Amino acid sequence: MEVMQVLHMNRGNGETSYAKNSTVQSNIISIAKSITEEALIKLMNNTVMESMGIADLGCSSGPNCLLSAWNIIDAIHATCRDANRPIPELSVALNDLPTNDFNYIFASLSEFHDKLEREKGSGFRQCFVSAVAGSFYGRLFPRRSLHFVHSSSSLHWLSQVPIDLENENGIATVTNKGKIYISKTSPQSVLKAYAFQFHKDFSEFLRSRSEELVPGGRMVLSFIGRNSSDPTTEESGYQWELLAQALMDMAKEGIIEEEKIDTFNAPYYAPCSGEVTVAIEAEGSFGVDRLETVEIDWEGCLGEKSYDVKSKSEAISRGLRVANTIRAVVESMLESHFGENVMDELFRRYGEIVGDYFYERRPRYGNIIVSLVRKG
Ligand code: SAH
């Protein structure tokens, strides 16, 4: 599978679009806001900066894309105001894969600029927003042109299906029978292949950013991760396990071929914090200022309260809503493998399976937030 070509969040503004189904990710941006502010304060510490290069990597489309940019600008504004310093000219680059719906972003830009001037004053006239299409697992910007990099809910996507699971023609070489991600029944070779691919990709990400950031430049990255060192526990990727169940049900009824399921593996990995720090230390260009793991439930809430499910029918309707949030993210990939015509049926079944699971359990995504500084 060519991830660059098939992975994109659902476009536009419709029922199944990412724009309408990304509250979980928007809440994650808000959770990391204070860490982003802290990193910017440290970055601007006592220095008057004339201009700043900022990048949001894996920006997607929809309201979250400009929400991250807004939070960064808001923090810069507050820091300059508190220190009674002029606001630097800002270059804000929004990056995603070439198939991303960049038009959605361009269409919202004039409203964004109006809001900036209205709420932050004329100092923000010099805020230059651009879009950069390409993979963040490689160079995107000139050497030493960036001061701050932000990325939210994106780095759990791998650059490709793990090398050892698929040959160069996209044919599966190790079978992950009836599953589409790491599962209790997966052979050890599958676990190893995923861990290896994450290490390789994340190291490449760090290497590329280390060239683009100025010494002392900072990054705040948040992405799905896990608490346990065991990648087969439910917190690691149970959304894929349930999706595989829905696919297998359809295979049993002859709606899709079982072989298609065996040959699909998600280009996704939820690392534990140890895997993240090992890669950072081995690459060597960044120091870890802060690393936190937070949990958020599948509907995007932090507390326990939301799991007060009173009836089976309530669980099912909440399951269907959760299925839509996952559909907005993974449909492009599944559609290219299983065909467009089975998507409605697949996500209807998936919603019911998620609903049943909700009735019994309190599923959560682990989320790693790491704040890094480029060594000088
Ligand atoms: N930051 C946004 C979007 C998260 S969705 C938010 O918080 O809501 C994840 C995004 O990462 C998707 O738009 C996907 O296309 C992008 N992405 C995945 N792999 C990427 C890569 N290698 N390079 C650039 N963007 C990538």
Side-chain angles (χ1 to χ4, degrees), residues 3-4 7-9 18 22 24-26 28-29 56-65 68 95-101 132-138 140 150-159 222 267 329:
V3 175
M4 283 272 269
L7 176 67
H8 61 79
M9 305 300 102
Y18 185 72
S22 44
V24 177
Q25 292 88 341
S26 138
I28 290 170
I29 294 173
D56 184 36
L57 307 183
C59 64
S60 192
S61 58
N64 290 4
C65 170
S68 292
N95 153 261
D96 208 288
L97 293 171
T99 47
N100 183 51
D101 187 0
V132 175
S135 172
F136 48 53
Y137 295 124
L140 292 166
H150 178 266
S151 178
S152 193
S153 299
S154 303
L155 277 157
H156 43 254
W157 291 112
L158 300 173
S159 68
S222 64
V329 172

Side-chain angles (χ1 to χ4, degrees), residues 76-112:
I76 294 171
H77 180 239
T79 310
C80 291
R81 190 196 49 215
D82 294 349
N84 198 20
R85 274 195 248 136
I87 296 153
E89 292 194 353
L90 303 178
S91 150
V92 181
L94 305 173
N95 153 261
D96 208 288
L97 293 171
T99 47
N100 183 51
D101 187 0
F102 284 106
N103 280 338
Y104 183 106
I105 307 174
F106 292 133
S108 346
L109 271 184
S110 70
E111 200 186 313
F112 180 76

Side-chain angles (χ1 to χ4, degrees), residues 268-325:
Y268 162 100
Y269 188 66
C272 64
S273 54
E275 291 174 297
V276 173
T277 47
V278 163
I280 295 169
E281 276 162 26
E283 195 280 330
S285 317
F286 291 93
V288 177
D289 192 31
R290 188 186 271 279
L291 191 149
E292 288 181 12
T293 311
V294 290
E295 288 192 330
I296 185 159
D297 73 36
W298 285 12
E299 289 174 298
C301 297
L302 277 169
E304 288 281 316
K305 196 166 94 249
S306 63
Y307 274 109
D308 229 359
V309 182
K310 291 182 196 67
S311 64
K312 195 73 180 232
S313 67
E314 187 195 329
I316 298 296
S317 76
R318 287 165 71 167
L320 288 168
R321 269 207 307 277
V322 168
N324 265 346
T325 66

Side-chain angles (χ1 to χ4, degrees), residues 37-301:
E37 283 166 0
E38 179 191 68
L40 283 161
I41 290 170
K42 289 182 176 170
L43 173 68
M44 298 172 76
N45 181 29
N46 293 330
T47 40
V48 176
M49 296 169 88
E50 271 188 38
S51 65
M52 270 174 87
I54 297 160
D56 184 36
L57 307 183
C59 64
S60 192
S61 58
N64 290 4
C65 170
L66 290 169
L67 172 66
S68 292
W70 181 268
N71 285 348
I72 293 166
I73 294 172
D74 199 32
I76 294 171
H77 180 239
T79 310
C80 291
R81 190 196 49 215
D82 294 349
N84 198 20
R85 274 195 248 136
I87 296 153
E89 292 194 353
L90 303 178
S91 150
V92 181
L94 305 173
N95 153 261
D96 208 288
L97 293 171
T99 47
N100 183 51
D101 187 0
F102 284 106
N103 280 338
Y104 183 106
I105 307 174
F106 292 133
S108 346
L109 271 184
S110 70
E111 200 186 313
F112 180 76
H113 280 293
D114 288 349
K115 187 171 169 217
L116 260 186
E117 268 201 62
R118 206 171 48 242
E119 294 186 21
K120 305 283 171 211
S122 58
F124 280 99
R125 244 174 239 140
Q126 309 304 356
C127 174
F128 304 95
V129 181
S130 60
V132 175
S135 172
F136 48 53
Y137 295 124
R139 286 287 299 278
L140 292 166
F141 303 97
R143 287 183 73 77
R144 304 198 164 192
S145 61
L146 296 178
H147 297 85
F148 186 70
V149 168
H150 178 266
S151 178
S152 193
S153 299
S154 303
L155 277 157
H156 43 254
W157 291 112
L158 300 173
S159 68
Q160 61 171 96
V161 172
I163 292 176
D164 292 336
L165 295 188
E166 194 176 272
N167 68 18
E168 61 280 8
N169 301 321
I171 311 290
T173 48
V174 173
T175 315
N176 195 14
K177 202 128 195 53
K179 306 293 174 187
I180 58 177
Y181 180 59
I182 295 170
S183 162
K184 289 256 182 253
T185 60
S186 301
Q188 277 300 318
S189 53
V190 169
L191 276 58
K192 272 204 195 128
Y194 268 103
F196 175 78
Q197 189 66 45
F198 171 78
H199 185 83
K200 183 168 179 287
D201 283 344
F202 193 58
S203 305
E204 186 52 47
F205 176 88
L206 295 169
R207 205 163 20 250
S208 304
R209 303 297 82 74
S210 76
E211 301 203 8
E212 296 163 351
L213 277 157
V214 298
R218 288 185 176 254
M219 297 206 277
V220 174
L221 315 173
S222 64
F223 45 93
I224 298 185
R226 58 181 206 272
N227 280 310
S228 159
S229 59
D230 177 2
T232 67
T233 55
E234 292 195 8
E235 57 154 3
S236 298
Y238 213 65
Q239 69 278 23
W240 297 109
E241 185 78 24
L242 300 181
L243 195 51
Q245 253 180 48
L247 286 163
M248 284 302 280
D249 287 350
M250 288 168 78
K252 280 188 201 113
E253 291 175 31
I255 305 169
I256 53 175
E257 292 162 41
E258 193 169 330
E259 201 216 340
K260 284 249 169 210
I261 303 169
D262 297 341
T263 54
F264 181 92
N265 289 296
Y268 162 100
Y269 188 66
C272 64
S273 54
E275 291 174 297
V276 173
T277 47
V278 163
I280 295 169
E281 276 162 26
E283 195 280 330
S285 317
F286 291 93
V288 177
D289 192 31
R290 188 186 271 279
L291 191 149
E292 288 181 12
T293 311
V294 290
E295 288 192 330
I296 185 159
D297 73 36
W298 285 12
E299 289 174 298
C301 297

